[in-house]
Amino acid sequence: MCGIVGYIGTRDSQAILVEGLKKLEYRGYDSAGIAVFTENGLEISKSKGRLAVLEDKLQGEPLHGSVGIGHTRWATHGKPSDVNSHPHTDNSSKFSVVHNGIIENYLELREELSISGRHFVSETDTEVISHLIASEYDGSIVEAVQRAVKRMRGAFALGVLTEFEPDRLVAVRYASPLVIGIGDGENYIGSDIPAILEHTRDVYILEDGEMAVLKRDGVELLTIDGEIISKEIFHVDWDLMTAEKAGFDHFMLKEIFEQPKAYRDTMLGRISDDGRSIHLPEIGMTSEQIRAIGKIQIIACGTAYHAGLIGKQLIEQLVRIPVETDVASEYRYRNPIITPDTLVIVVSQSGETADTLAALREAKRCGARVLAITNVVGSSVAREADDVITTWAGPEIAVASTKAYSSQLIAFYLLSLYLAQSVVTKDEEFIGEVTAALHKLPEQVEQLLGQTERMKELAEGFAKHSHLFFIGRGVDYALAQEGSLKLKEISYIHSEAYAAGELKHGTLALIEEGTPVIALVTQEALAEKTISNIKEVKARGAYALAITNESNEHEVAKSVDDVFAIPNTLPLLTPALSVIPLQLLSYYASLALGHDVDKPRNLAKSVTVE
């Protein structure tokens, strides 16, 4: 997830581009750059690091010109560095591109372009686009871009300049957001409205497969097939802070609503077209090395640890390899037993979590191969692990993790299927069944997000209590622990998660009249047992809310005070859906209590101390 901005007009573009990037820095923060038509032609300035690094560079070496594009990067392909930063050019430096998204087939395009004599300098998928457009150019930048994007698979929003046509700025959208700002004698592009809101409140919002050709005196809208289209102008009446949150009241709510896209992006390019196999080229292990794995250890902290608890059950169920889960802060102090056949999986949203990083180093010191699941390319965890699966959730601003956690679940689903196909514990038919269900998850999440008022009503009731309990069995218990943590994090309500069968071994003593209990009942094979545990707490006066599948809603409703149903899916995939109402419950409970949802007390986003 990155931020792009562009300008064509009569004013000096550098200041406009930099200010626009400041409004988009929440979308990407590991490097930044701009390309501007100057009196010397197309010139580029870019730097690794926060936008301030680029600003310092431009103070000493400014780029003066009235047409330009800019980019703030959140890496997906290639570690953060000056050379991997955008904008990218072709070998002649006559074409420049900024890109938000992922090009799935960039490797095959790169190989083809290399054979034709084009030389690549970066590790990125975006550089392929600049070379591809250059190779297609025959006098019309619009037609060259159209031909190029038809050869690309994936998700992209593009801003394109060429020195051959300095009076045009071309923009394209496919599965990544892009807006066109309309001014008086000047026009703009931006990944989000905040980038251009200071200059105009009139915008076109591009849809997938649409492009725009910007000149100083107007904007032409067309499809990538060349068909001219017309669109209504959208007038923005939000203030800037609201615009940065895309109209949501808080970043946390915005990030909850971004989960369908995070699911799609994390799966993008990793499932074969027929759905019968998983592709994880990031993993360097051969099939023989995978078959030699005798034990797996999953290490993480907090929310990431809870994703690991579900990952443990997935791997053991699908791959039949024993898995241990460890809290990272405890791992290296217990003198862990690591043998030559041990694979260690570390999970960290930021890739900089101090405890997780220390555990990773201890595992490597003991000779283990380490696979990382992280949300940040080029982070310490990503650099030091042997293999890395990136969760393409995009930057997460709210302290309480939502889309990063659910993307970690998707990564574990993909990894488990990948290992299963490597050791042949599951056949292509089974993998196809699971991937078909995975592809339905984003739409099913969107269905759940349409029920926010229902969760708000429930949350306001729970917010009146000082403590409550979550219960579940199997993956439901693993998810219950995340639901409990999320509620504690942002509402400050004391809550505990228990394996439902453990209640009668002591916890029932804490149940009294009116105590809220949230029961997860999504596993058909365990539903009867969990309902028995619900009846145990009901007999002691508890108020029980069940989260269950639509197909089981009527039956479960007989034993509880209230029920919330999630769409039907495969049993192992239910956590990816049932987490949504738990996140919304926590969000609205915090809101009801008047707390700072995005910045809960005493907590930090990235814990970089032990």
Side-chain angles (χ1 to χ4, degrees), residues 295-541:
K295 179 176 67 174
I296 292 175
Q297 297 174 340
I298 298 177
I299 307 167
C301 301
T303 286
Y305 173 73
H306 295 153
L309 293 175
I310 292 175
K312 165 188 167 67
Q313 298 198 40
L314 295 173
I315 293 170
E316 289 188 337
Q317 180 179 338
L318 302 185
V319 194
R320 307 307 296 164
I321 295 175
V323 181
E324 302 171 359
T325 52
D326 269 284
V327 174
S329 56
E330 293 290 323
Y331 178 77
R332 65 193 180 112
Y333 299 113
R334 70 171 179 85
N335 193 18
I337 299 173
I338 294 176
T339 56
D341 64 353
T342 301
L343 173 67
V344 171
I345 301 174
V346 298
V347 190
S348 169
Q349 186 279 136
S350 67
E352 303 294 344
T353 311
D355 289 320
T356 305
L357 193 55
L360 180 158
R361 290 167 178 163
E362 174 66 11
K364 288 186 70 71
R365 187 188 68 79
C366 295
R369 186 181 187 104
V370 177
L371 185 155
I373 296 175
T374 184
N375 199 35
V376 181
V377 173
S379 61
S380 297
V381 163
R383 291 196 308 271
E384 297 188 30
D386 299 291
D387 308 284
V388 182
I389 299 176
T390 306
T391 56
W392 293 324
E396 195 175 59
I397 307 303
V399 167
S401 180
T402 52
K403 64 176 182 173
Y405 166 81
S406 53
S407 295
Q408 288 163 0
L409 296 187
I410 300 298
F412 269 118
Y413 290 131
L414 296 173
L415 174 61
S416 301
L417 291 171
Y418 180 78
L419 295 176
Q421 77 184 16
S422 298
V423 302
V424 202
T425 52
K426 297 296 179 183
D427 59 19
E428 289 184 347
E429 184 178 351
F430 176 88
I431 292 171
E433 180 185 2
V434 178
T435 58
L438 280 169
H439 282 308
K440 292 178 182 177
L441 289 178
E443 184 178 344
Q444 291 176 319
V445 171
E446 287 166 354
Q447 293 175 32
L448 289 168
L449 293 173
Q451 301 182 61
T452 54
E453 286 302 314
R454 172 89 170 97
M455 292 312 301
K456 181 179 180 182
E457 177 186 347
L458 289 168
E460 288 172 349
F462 287 130
K464 298 173 184 177
H465 295 268
S466 57
H467 67 272
L468 55 82
F469 295 93
F470 291 78
I471 62 173
R473 288 173 178 262
V475 292
D476 283 344
Y477 171 46
L479 184 63
Q481 294 177 73
E482 172 58 15
S484 176
L485 174 63
K486 206 57 53 195
L487 188 69
K488 284 181 280 199
E489 276 184 305
I490 62 172
S491 75
Y492 319 146
I493 297 172
H494 173 253
S495 68
E496 298 292 342
Y498 283 92
E502 277 294 290
L503 287 170
K504 55 186 172 289
H505 297 293
T507 313
L508 274 175
L510 297 175
I511 302 296
E512 56 188 11
E513 190 69 32
T515 301
V517 175
I518 298 171
L520 294 162
V521 195
T522 71
Q523 304 300 295
E524 189 63 35
L526 299 170
E528 188 175 286
K529 295 290 186 183
T530 306
I531 289 172
S532 294
N533 302 133
I534 292 171
K535 290 179 178 178
E536 290 170 357
V537 299
K538 283 290 295 170
R540 275 77 178 174

Side-chain angles (χ1 to χ4, degrees), residues 90-281:
D90 71 311
N91 293 143
S92 71
S93 296
K94 301 293 186 183
F95 297 82
S96 184
V97 174
V98 288
H99 167 220
N100 173 26
I102 299 165
I103 306 304
E104 292 182 45
N105 61 331
Y106 85 101
L107 286 175
E108 60 188 77
L109 290 172
R110 181 175 178 133
E111 182 178 359
E112 176 189 322
L113 290 162
S114 296
I115 291 172
S116 70
R118 296 189 175 273
H119 174 64
F120 289 81
V121 297
S122 78
E123 303 168 277
T124 68
D125 55 341
T126 302
E127 189 185 0
V128 169
I129 304 172
S130 57
H131 288 286
L132 185 59
I133 292 173
S135 72
E136 295 285 353
Y137 187 74
D138 63 358
S140 168
I141 186 59
V142 175
E143 292 177 4
V145 170
Q146 289 171 338
R147 287 191 291 269
V149 298
K150 289 177 183 178
R151 300 189 59 197
M152 292 155 42
R153 295 198 310 270
F156 46 84
L158 307 178
V160 183
L161 296 177
T162 179
E163 199 170 300
F164 297 116
E165 300 179 52
D167 60 342
R168 281 182 170 87
L169 166 56
V170 178
V172 188
R173 170 187 170 148
Y174 189 83
S176 287
L178 196 64
V179 298
I180 310 299
I182 307 159
D184 182 9
E186 56 188 14
N187 295 292
Y188 312 80
I189 67 171
S191 292
D192 273 351
I193 289 171
I196 59 178
L197 191 57
E198 182 180 343
H199 306 288
T200 181
R201 290 182 174 269
D202 292 329
V203 302
Y204 293 123
I205 300 176
L206 294 187
E207 302 295 335
D208 289 351
E210 295 179 349
M211 61 188 299
V213 183
L214 286 72
K215 299 181 180 180
R216 290 176 174 83
D217 58 357
V219 175
E220 181 182 36
L221 302 175
L222 60 162
T223 69
I224 58 175
D225 292 320
E227 179 184 349
I228 302 298
I229 58 175
S230 60
K231 299 177 78 73
E232 288 188 9
I233 293 175
F234 176 72
H235 183 75
V236 181
D237 55 9
W238 313 328
D239 61 28
L240 183 58
M241 182 56 70
T242 302
E244 287 180 351
K245 296 173 183 172
F248 292 97
D249 291 335
H250 299 91
F251 280 110
M252 182 179 176
L253 188 61
K254 175 177 178 284
E255 288 155 9
I256 289 173
F257 272 76
E258 286 175 340
Q259 285 173 116
K261 182 179 187 302
Y263 282 21
R264 292 185 181 101
D265 287 351
T266 301
M267 288 187 276
L268 197 64
R270 289 168 167 168
I271 299 174
S272 65
D273 291 341
D274 63 7
R276 296 168 70 87
S277 63
I278 304 298
H279 301 311
L280 292 177

Side-chain angles (χ1 to χ4, degrees), residues 531-586:
I531 289 172
S532 294
N533 302 133
I534 292 171
K535 290 179 178 178
E536 290 170 357
V537 299
K538 283 290 295 170
R540 275 77 178 174
Y543 170 91
L545 165 69
I547 295 175
T548 190
N549 316 84
E550 288 177 347
S551 58
N552 209 27
E553 180 180 6
H554 179 70
E555 188 62 30
V556 173
K558 297 175 183 177
S559 303
V560 296
D561 297 283
D562 213 335
V563 63
F564 183 91
I566 64 170
N568 293 323
T569 188
L570 297 176
L572 74 163
L573 299 186
T574 58
L577 297 178
S578 46
V579 69
I580 305 300
L582 297 185
Q583 292 170 346
L584 291 169
L585 188 74
S586 300

